[in-house]
């Protein structure tokens, strides 16, 4: 699975200081309640020590209340600039990294990407012969981003059993109603999937209705469909079964997309002019040319390395290589934060992986939009 950071490009273009906080936000136990009571004071102390201004510190304190009403474990990610909270997200599940409060010249979105690596939109549609409930999810969010109900005709939705010519006429009319309802539901599913960039559509509900809806989807929509024999709107139905089946399909898609990226990298090994870059120098070289299509790295292995974010194109430089453009150096930051920023500003996708899966034991690689030339920087 790869994450797109393009939506944060506007924030990345704004020079800091930027204050980042990534903390446990649960309220479910005595320990977390006590932690919540002291979190504001601890945050203020750490931000003051890092040189944050009072307006940023006040804004961050306001941004970090315990996440009431959300089941624990749960984390919170907040990003503050110039006294304003620019990002404040409650993230279901335990923290994926050690808690951090930091001040950097650029936004540090590593905790957000690490906690929610699969920026995958998918649609779950529960359909019957008279209506459909269409829910849009972002993988890892735990709750739908949007819910849309489509109610079709309900009169004569059930077949008439009177016998003779009347029965045949009513059956044909009923089937026409089903088809019209399915067409409306399918059109809305297509709209939601298209506008969100969904890569999976899970169809659940009445078996006949599922078939009609699937038939009425666009060709692109049908290619994304996985059917689940579950309907939580019927008496005695269990939502847990549907949730398990949806999670299974999402996990399979995530695994397949990750494997596809790694297979593409492996296929470039040994080529004279590979369409891949390996190692920090080669990857930075590719990012500086907006050549990287997918950036792949092990953030743990890179946590002690630093890079130089720039205030204009080409956005990034290595610490040992002085920029050769008019763009100024914003400072020296952890390599993962600088790589994510450069990826966002050059519209590259990102995949975080454990180091051993990368070719030749390197910590960072990239699939490129066009092959390396013979004189390109190599690892």
């Amino acid at each position: 699975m790869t994450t797109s950071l393009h939506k944060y490009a506007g924030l990345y273009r704004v020079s800091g200081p930027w204050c980042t906080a990534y903390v446990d936000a649960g309220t479910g136990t005595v320990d977390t309640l006590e932690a919540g009571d002291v979190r504001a004071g601890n945050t203020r102390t750490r931000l003051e020590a890092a040189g944050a201004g009072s307006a940023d510190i006040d804004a961050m304190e306001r941004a970090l209340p315990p996440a009431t009403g959300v089941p624990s474990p749960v984390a919170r990610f907040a990003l503050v600039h110039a006294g304003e909270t620019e990002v404040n997200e409650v993230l279901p599940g335990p923290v994926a990294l050690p808690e951090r409060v930091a001040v950097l010249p650029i936004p540090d979105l590593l905790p957000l990407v690490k906690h929610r690596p699969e920026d995958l939109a998918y649609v779950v549609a529960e359909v019957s012969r008279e209506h459909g409930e269409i829910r849009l999810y972002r993988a890892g969010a735990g709750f739908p981003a949007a819910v849309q109900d489509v109610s079709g005709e309900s009169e004569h939705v059930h077949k008439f059993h009177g016998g003779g010519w009347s029965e045949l006429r009513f059956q044909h009319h009923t089937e026409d109603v089903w088809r019209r309802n399915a067409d409306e539901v399918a059109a809305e599913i297509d709209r939601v999937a298209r506008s969100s960039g969904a890569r999976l559509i899970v169809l659940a509900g009445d078996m006949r209705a599922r078939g009609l809806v699937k038939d009425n989807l666009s060709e692109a929509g049908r290619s994304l469909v996985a059917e689940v024999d579950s309907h939580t709107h019927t008496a005695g139905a269990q939502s847990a079964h549907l949730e398990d089946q949806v999670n299974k399909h999402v996990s399979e898609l995530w695994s397949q997309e990750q494997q596809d990226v790694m297979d593409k990298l492996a296929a470039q090994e040994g080529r004279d002019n590979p369409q891949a870059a390996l190692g920090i120098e080669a990857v930075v070289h590719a990012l500086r040319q907006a050549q990287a299509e997918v950036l792949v790295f092990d953030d743990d292995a890179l946590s002690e390395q630093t890079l130089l974010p720039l205030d204009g194109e080409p956005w990034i430089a290595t610490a040992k290589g002085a920029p050769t453009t008019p763009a100024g150096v914003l400072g020296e930051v952890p390599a993962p934060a600088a790589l994510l920023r450069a990826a966002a500003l050059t519209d590259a996708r990102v995949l975080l992986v454990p180091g051993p899966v990368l070719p030749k034991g390197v910590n960072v690689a990239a699939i490129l939009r066009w092959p390396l030339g013979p004189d390109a920087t190599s690892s």
Side-chain angles (χ1 to χ4, degrees):
M1 181 62 53
T2 54
T3 293
S4 172
L5 294 169
H6 182 69
K7 62 184 177 182
Y8 298 109
L11 299 182
Y12 275 131
R13 293 175 189 275
V14 179
S15 299
W18 286 87
C19 298
T20 301
Y22 177 62
V23 297
D24 182 337
T27 62
T29 67
V30 172
D31 288 343
T32 53
L33 285 170
E34 290 176 350
D37 290 338
V38 301
R39 183 174 297 129
N42 288 343
T43 299
R44 175 171 288 276
T45 299
R46 294 170 69 178
L47 289 176
E48 286 175 345
S54 59
D56 286 347
I57 295 172
D58 292 342
M60 186 63 81
E61 283 188 320
R62 293 191 297 270
L64 297 181
T68 56
V70 181
S72 293
V74 61
R76 185 185 291 276
F77 175 82
L79 195 62
V80 167
H81 176 265
E84 298 291 334
T85 302
E86 299 292 347
V87 178
N88 190 353
E89 294 204 25
V90 174
L91 304 167
V95 291
L97 290 168
E99 290 191 341
R100 63 173 61 181
V101 176
V103 180
L104 290 174
I106 63 171
D108 181 7
L109 294 183
L110 177 64
L112 186 61
V113 175
K114 186 80 169 179
H115 194 110
R116 195 173 59 202
E118 54 285 288
D119 185 17
L120 182 155
Y122 63 95
V123 174
V124 178
E126 289 193 74
V127 299
S128 70
R129 300 178 197 190
E130 65 268 16
H131 87 288
E133 182 181 282
I134 303 162
R135 302 189 294 273
L136 172 65
Y137 290 88
R138 299 283 176 181
F143 45 83
V147 179
Q148 181 69 39
D149 280 308
V150 179
S151 297
E153 299 177 52
S154 58
E155 186 178 6
H156 304 312
V157 76
H158 300 293
K159 287 189 175 180
F160 176 74
H161 297 289
W165 176 84
S166 294
E167 177 178 352
L168 183 61
R169 181 168 61 86
F170 274 102
Q171 285 181 352
H172 286 166
H173 177 70
T174 298
E175 289 179 358
D176 286 341
V177 170
W178 293 351
R179 292 188 185 95
R180 287 196 296 271
N181 290 346
D183 185 55
E184 287 186 39
V185 173
E188 184 61 18
I189 292 173
D190 272 330
R191 186 195 67 78
V192 172
R194 185 170 54 251
S195 63
S196 65
R199 302 206 294 276
L200 173 68
I201 297 171
V202 178
L203 275 182
D206 177 86
M207 182 172 65
R208 179 66 188 280
R210 293 200 311 261
L212 289 171
V213 169
K214 184 177 179 180
D215 288 344
N216 279 278
L217 288 171
S218 65
E219 183 178 350
R222 286 195 300 275
S223 70
L224 304 178
V225 166
E227 291 192 58
V228 171
D229 189 17
S230 179
H231 196 346
T232 64
H233 292 170
T234 58
Q238 297 294 318
S239 61
H241 174 69
L242 174 58
E243 185 176 342
D244 288 345
Q245 291 299 306
V246 170
N247 289 339
K248 173 177 175 290
H249 285 291
V250 171
S251 178
E252 288 174 351
L253 179 60
W254 182 86
S255 298
Q256 184 58 55
E257 291 193 356
Q258 178 173 321
Q259 188 59 51
D260 289 346
V261 170
M262 302 314 298
D263 288 346
K264 287 180 180 179
L265 274 179
Q268 299 301 314
E269 288 192 77
R271 295 191 178 185
D272 290 337
N273 297 311
Q275 201 162 329
L278 302 179
I280 194 71
E281 295 290 336
V283 168
V284 169
H285 178 82
L287 287 168
R288 287 170 61 87
Q289 300 181 87
Q291 189 180 7
E293 180 179 10
V294 182
L295 174 66
V296 186
F297 67 90
D298 173 11
D299 61 286
D300 290 333
L302 291 175
S303 61
E304 299 302 318
Q305 295 190 45
T306 60
L307 291 169
L308 305 178
L310 309 179
D311 61 8
E313 294 180 351
W315 303 116
I316 190 170
T318 58
K320 66 180 182 181
T324 57
T325 68
V329 175
L330 294 173
E332 191 168 346
V333 304
L339 289 170
L340 291 178
R341 177 177 181 264
L345 292 170
T346 57
D347 204 21
R349 293 177 294 149
V350 175
L351 173 64
L352 300 183
V353 296
V357 307
L358 285 166
K360 300 180 181 179
V362 299
N363 298 326
V364 58
I367 296 173
L368 306 180
R369 295 185 169 105
W370 63 87
L372 288 173
D375 60 344
T377 303
S378 59
S379 57

